[in-house]
Amino acid sequence: MSGAAAAAGAADQGRHSTLSEITLVEAVNAALAHELEADPSVLVLGEDVGVNGGVFRATAGLYERFGPERVVDTPLAETLIAGMSIGLAAQGMRPVAEIQFMGFIYPAVDQLLNHASRLRNRTRGRLSCPMVLRAPCGAGIHAPEHHSESTESLFAHIPGLRVVVPSSPARAYGLLLAAIRDPDPVVFLEPTRIYRLVKENVRDDGTALPLDVCFVLRDGGDVTLVTWGAATRETLEAAERLAQDGVEAEVIDVATLAPLDMQTILESVEKTGRCVIVHEAARNVGVGAEIAARIADEGLMSLLAPIKRVTGWDTVVPYAKLEHDYMPRPEAIVAAVRETMEAA
Amino acid sequence: MQRPVEKAPSARGSRGESDRTSHADTGSAGEIVAQFEIRYTRFLDENGRAVRELPAFARDPDVMRPIYEHMVLTRALDRKAVALQRTGQLGTYPSSFGQEGTTVAIGAAMARDDVLLGTYRETGAMLFRGVRIAEILQYWGGDEAGSDYRGPGAPRADFPICVPIATHAPHAVGVAYAMKLRREPRVAVCALGDGATSKGDFYEALNGAGVWQLPLVFVIVNNQWAISVPRSAQSHAETLAQKAIAAGIPAEQVDGDDAVAVYQAMRNALSAARDGAGPHVVEALTYRLSDHTTADDASRYRSADELERRRALDPIARLRSHLERAKLWSEADERRLEEATAARIEQAAAEFLALPPPPPEAMFDHLFAQLPEALREQRDALVAAAAAHRAETVSGEEDGQ
Ligand SMILES: Cc1ncc(C[n+]2csc(CCOP(=O)(O)OP(=O)(O)O)c2C)c(N)n1
Ligand SMILES: [Mg+2]
């Protein structure tokens, strides 16, 4: 963090406000505004992020407040957006770039994999890449084709990259602050389905959340439900239904998919002996597979039942008519938990 | 084949900003709304004789002697590196043999605070900017630490050489954007090959540089080949420079084997960019006299005749003739330089060969600013496994194996 940012962070105490009943996308906006205000090296760039305030309004009002040089409408060029962010970051800036939809992030993968994630390593620390690449992700908003993927595992597989998926307004605010202040590149995936689904009070005091621990959303001793992103909604709903039948589920929001905090997950599984992993992304080689493998490796002896996964199908994410048949439903999660309960 | 470099440019026209009504209607073909031209510049012919009035710096020993000396140094380093590779002491190496006029003039024209984003074939520019010979060898020897430029006055903000073709062009846009945003009188220089101009990355970067009028100079080092693919198969455009026109960026061609021409074009482009005039593209027409890398055999795809013809255009011999004619260089200077260069190369090679291998944990230690807890176990396992392997190897040697 620059000296200016540190000073502004300290000055925050005393004049912070509570943003009442804000949505996840408004929390993203608040975090961006906070960092643009606090740190002159922060800038926001992407397609339609300026005058238009972003197609989801994540950057609304920032252009007016911070001007066109720091809230930058780019040409329609994803390689450029990711690549120039690397150049900016290497020069000591803190770019927060937006890819308009996850479906259009793939040209940026080359830049993330070949450069952003390894610039520090390639130069033995001489240059580094403190950039954030934000992108909306996931299905469920009746969007056109190519707008509904959850391909977080592609990014989690890249060494040197952090991958973060918030699932509530408060976590979006705190994790985005942390991502912007982190000295290394972060891919920040925002589930569109919950952009406006829940509202909560968020203290706009510049307090960041840690980037390398899972969040326990619900305590329970019978089964561990591991999830992230929009699927936390269905998972929490399933947990409520199970509670009515006397099954207490612990719900863990992984939130930071890479690097992965297995500690929290293993401790929970040690307590419950059962684990169901829920994610919207396709099952094959999803992040859930890694978590299951790690539990099998390091927590097998505490397991009372096989690990189950409830995920999107291994198909192309369907267009709007079928997208709700694609995403994990609470019933499927409840059924998977029942199976593990019956196993032992 | 690329048109003969001696000829006047074949690409022509002018960017018609003038008001449309002043243009004659050309009938069914419609009116001309934009025109452009690409100019080609050369000062020294292949014998080092001036073909047009020389810029003043061409007779300034403080400018010209260091350029010549670095061209000789670059060639000597290439020769040494290839020899080290052939004897198993260096990895695959890309020589810039034949391109010394271009690569050194790029480095010479830049200011210390400017930022170079280059390919694996900009050794001359790197040397001129203060990257140490031993670091260059260390890098090609397989150790990333060679990209941690640490010599006196090292260009600490320069990017490490770029391996994935053209992917560094967008980085240059970001670097230049930061310079412009901070109102700094600095310029980013992005050097890339003829092959690189076919990639979308290059077009996206050109376009961005044009939109924001950034202090960014692209140098297309057109050495006529992209491994085995000739320039003619890379693009149907008459010049590669003209690709800049579509992005609204002025562009020109120079004789890349004439260091005076490259230096002049770069100086003008850099100072204009520094003064806020925006980006520029220089296409330097040169030739790769070596194989693509030590892993390549160019005789599979190009004729001995072509190579012979191009050898005659040697940028080093050409510049030396000019310097001698201008009384900036003597036979004695040449002997002194030969000796000094050989000594520098030998000393750097000895330093490189004496370097200890990087510790295995280096692969973890620069992945993040701080090693995440999640990776600690793997790092420990690597350190233990590497130590055990080494101990076994040593005891094996002691057993007389
Ligand atoms: C994106 C990408 N594709 C392919 C390669 C393999 N490759 C390495 S060098 C090269 C040719 C590059 O030609 P050019 O841009 O003209 O540069 P030169 O080697 O002639 O200096 C190729 C195809 C690569 N490094 N990167
Ligand atoms: Mg080439």
Side-chain angles (χ1 to χ4, degrees), chain B residues 99 119-121 163-165 167 192-197 199 221 223 225-227 288 292:
Chain B
Q99 303 179 201
T119 64
Y120 43 82
R121 228 185 286 285
V163 177
I165 300 299
T167 55
L192 32 66
D194 43 303
T197 64
K199 278 200 68 180
V221 183
N223 64 6
W225 291 93
I227 309 186
R288 190 194 82 213
H292 171 68

Side-chain angles (χ1 to χ4, degrees), chain A residues 69 91 111 115 122 126, chain B residues 156 161 167 171 177 182:
Chain A
E69 286 189 332
Q91 272 292 306
Q111 289 292 333
H115 294 294
R122 293 189 67 220
R126 179 169 63 81
Chain B
R156 299 280 297 166
I161 66 131
T167 55
H171 306 164
Y177 193 99
R182 297 188 297 230

Side-chain angles (χ1 to χ4, degrees), chain A residues 66-80:
Chain A
F66 301 101
E69 286 189 332
R70 293 181 67 207
V71 183
V72 188
D73 276 324
T74 66
L76 205 166
E78 281 74 16
T79 295
L80 176 68

Side-chain angles (χ1 to χ4, degrees), chain B residues 65-110:
Chain B
R65 286 175 61 118
I67 290 177
Y68 180 71
E69 288 161 3
H70 279 84
M71 287 167 66
V72 169
L73 180 66
T74 303
R75 185 165 294 183
L77 170 55
D78 277 344
R79 204 178 291 128
K80 183 69 188 182
V82 171
L84 287 167
Q85 192 279 334
R86 299 284 186 235
T87 51
Q89 295 166 287
L90 199 75
T92 300
Y93 183 82
S95 168
S96 45
F97 182 33
Q99 303 179 201
E100 297 89 348
T102 294
T103 182
V104 170
I106 291 170
M110 292 173 67

